[in-house]
Amino acid sequence: MRAARLIKMVLLLQSRPAMTGAELARELEVSERTVARDALALSEAGVPVYADRGRAGGYRLVGGYRTRLTGLARGEAEALFLSGVPGALREMGLDDAASAARLKVSAALLPALRDAPDTAARRFHLDAPGWYQAPSAPPLLPALAEAVWDDRTVRVRYRRRDGDEVARTLAPYGLVLKAGTWYVCARAETSLRVYRVDRFTAVEAGGERFAREEDFDLPAFWAERAAEFARSILRTEVVLRLTEEGVRMLPHAADRAAAGEALAAAGPPGPDGRTEVRLRMESPEVAYAQLLALGPEAEVVGPPGLRARFADAAARAARLYGG
């Protein structure tokens, strides 16, 4: 365990001019004290790790040191061939480049590891699109992917949700594939925004490059915006009285995060054993469609219009099954 951590530490320092103790601790998932001990151990073993003291200090390799610990273990080689997403690479127009890279890596592997690509492919497969969705790549995706790789601005026409088209000049920072739908995270004027790629009607690469922000973190940015979007569409508050079984079923019927928040904020069950919760949902229509799955395990208390709709549905069900 420690030997693998020391190797990873050397490779991290080899790939960057310098790293702080906090950065190394985060990457290695250890404490800064452990980082200091590991740096000392590497230095004693002949690896020229130098520690700069002070607030702006950190760790770096001196003398142009390059490690030769580049051999891959079997698990590492198999994981390498799992890291690609063949369908996504094909849609971005990168399938030929990825295929050539895989061939080169395969040729560089030790003879005992040459079967790693087939071993991984036989055991794991990623099917990104959701169920009941025909996968289709937006035709303008390759042009956007090329601009993302080259850090070049693009002039686009974008169809908004209301159907109107607008012209924009974007600095595309990154592409995200979510449940079979492609999105581009791009700077428009002074703010970073998210656009659906299938809503672009025109993409023209600009001749100028843009300066990418050094601290931009695509996964973190996407996670933040996705959470904001999920919260923004939950505009309707529904009051429910749930049986014990209804409490168990709620996260499977409604938005899981919203259900978790509602159940965490709920008080103890009442004398009849039911728990009252206030649940944020997208709209009364969505609430009706989703909460029907709970049947008699949930009583809709409000809003009044939604309660009336459930009462009517219950009455019709009783007439249908009462005979």
Side-chain angles (χ1 to χ4, degrees):
M1 176 70 77
R2 191 188 185 198
R5 189 175 72 240
L6 292 174
I7 292 172
K8 184 176 180 180
M9 184 174 179
V10 172
L11 293 174
L12 284 169
L13 292 174
Q14 183 174 295
S15 65
R16 307 179 195 182
M19 295 182 70
T20 66
E23 290 171 338
L24 282 169
R26 186 166 56 251
E27 291 281 354
L28 300 172
E29 299 181 350
V30 295
S31 67
E32 292 187 47
R33 185 183 296 273
T34 299
V35 168
R37 287 199 297 265
D38 287 351
L40 180 60
L42 287 171
S43 180
E44 292 174 347
V47 178
V49 177
Y50 181 77
D52 290 312
R53 305 297 180 185
R55 179 175 298 180
Y59 296 88
R60 60 187 176 87
L61 294 175
V62 297
Y65 178 84
R66 305 290 294 179
T67 179
R68 299 193 180 192
L69 296 173
T70 53
L72 292 176
R74 170 165 291 278
E76 294 168 335
E78 291 171 348
L80 177 64
F81 286 95
L82 283 177
S83 62
V85 186
L89 292 171
R90 183 171 55 252
E91 292 177 5
M92 289 190 290
L94 300 173
D95 194 36
D96 289 343
S99 177
R102 287 193 293 269
L103 287 173
K104 290 178 180 178
V105 172
S106 296
L109 290 175
L110 294 172
L113 300 180
R114 295 283 168 80
D115 64 338
D118 292 335
T119 301
R122 284 197 298 265
R123 287 166 172 79
F124 300 98
H125 174 67
L126 175 63
D127 186 9
W131 290 105
Y132 315 115
Q133 296 179 10
S136 61
L140 298 175
L141 177 61
L144 276 172
E146 185 175 352
V148 168
W149 279 115
D150 291 342
D151 289 344
R152 292 192 181 276
T153 60
V154 288
R155 293 181 290 274
V156 304
R157 292 195 63 81
Y158 185 74
R159 186 179 67 254
R160 298 191 302 198
R161 191 174 298 178
D162 58 11
D164 291 342
E165 282 195 5
V166 294
R168 294 279 188 272
T169 297
L170 304 178
Y173 274 51
L175 288 162
V176 175
L177 177 60
K178 169 70 173 180
T181 300
W182 283 96
Y183 299 86
V184 61
C185 304
R187 180 169 294 283
E189 298 177 350
T190 60
S191 62
L192 280 165
R193 302 178 184 178
V194 176
Y195 300 86
R196 280 184 61 138
V197 175
D198 58 6
R199 288 187 183 163
F200 287 109
T201 58
V203 174
E204 180 185 352
E208 63 278 7
R209 294 179 180 272
F210 62 89
R212 178 181 291 267
E213 297 176 19
E214 292 289 336
D215 59 349
F216 177 75
D217 184 333
L218 180 60
F221 173 80
W222 174 258
E224 180 183 346
R225 290 303 173 91
E228 288 178 1
F229 174 75
R231 289 192 298 268
S232 70
I233 64 174
L234 302 178
R235 303 186 182 96
T236 299
E237 183 177 82
V238 178
V239 181
L240 303 172
R241 297 181 69 249
L242 302 171
T243 63
E244 183 177 347
E245 179 66 8
V247 168
R248 187 191 66 80
M249 293 172 59
L250 185 63
H252 304 285
D255 178 84
R256 185 174 292 273
E261 292 176 2
L263 292 172
D272 60 354
R274 288 184 178 260
T275 301
E276 183 171 299
V277 300
R278 295 181 176 273
L279 176 66
R280 302 294 301 177
M281 304 195 75
E282 185 174 344
S283 66
E285 290 73 22
V286 171
Y288 178 75
Q290 292 182 342
L291 296 178
L292 274 177
L294 299 181
E297 309 302 332
E299 176 192 355
V300 176
V301 179
L306 184 62
R307 178 180 174 86
R309 192 171 179 182
F310 271 88
D312 177 66
R316 287 188 287 119
R319 289 195 296 271
L320 182 63
Y321 293 104

